[in-house]
């Protein structure tokens, strides 16, 4: 809702504040899930191949999970159940 509101009215400071909070929460969740590698790898693919960033990140997700499983198996234990 806030994204749509900001696009319609860029001066809506409440909606912009909510978008900032959402961005902060999402970045914290990404760092806690240890998927930063896949997220970072998605940027050049997004730019070079003109893909949606979420799709580009999804390309790297399996390998990212494999790497985390090797080095931090406890972090992916719930995912494998």
């Amino acid at each position: 809702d806030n994204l749509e509101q900001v696009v319609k009215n860029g001066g809506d400071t409440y909606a912009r504040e909510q978008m900032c909070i959402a961005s902060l929460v999402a970045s914290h969740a990404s760092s806690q899930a240890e998927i930063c590698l896949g997220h970072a790898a998605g940027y050049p693919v997004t730019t070079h191949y003109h893909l949606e960033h979420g799709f580009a990140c999804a390309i790297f997700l399996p390998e990212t999970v494999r790497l985390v499983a090797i080095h931090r198996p406890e972090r992916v234990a719930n995912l494998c159940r």
Side-chain angles (χ1 to χ4, degrees):
D1 293 337
N2 291 304
L3 177 59
E4 188 175 318
Q5 181 60 28
V6 168
V7 170
K8 286 180 184 175
N9 177 8
D12 185 335
T13 56
Y14 176 78
R16 292 175 70 87
E17 177 183 347
Q18 295 304 303
M19 291 296 299
C20 288
I21 292 169
S23 176
L24 176 66
V25 170
S27 67
H28 181 69
S30 292
S31 68
Q32 293 301 306
E34 298 189 26
I35 59 168
C36 297
L37 173 64
H39 188 251
Y43 281 112
V45 173
T46 298
T47 303
H48 185 75
Y49 294 103
H50 307 287
L51 299 173
E52 291 181 9
H53 184 61
F55 182 79
C57 291
I59 293 169
F60 294 100
L61 185 60
E63 190 59 29
T64 300
V65 171
R66 276 193 281 278
L67 287 170
V68 173
I70 291 167
H71 299 287
R72 299 283 304 272
E74 71 281 4
R75 300 294 280 189
V76 296
N78 288 335
L79 180 64
C80 297
R81 288 184 192 157

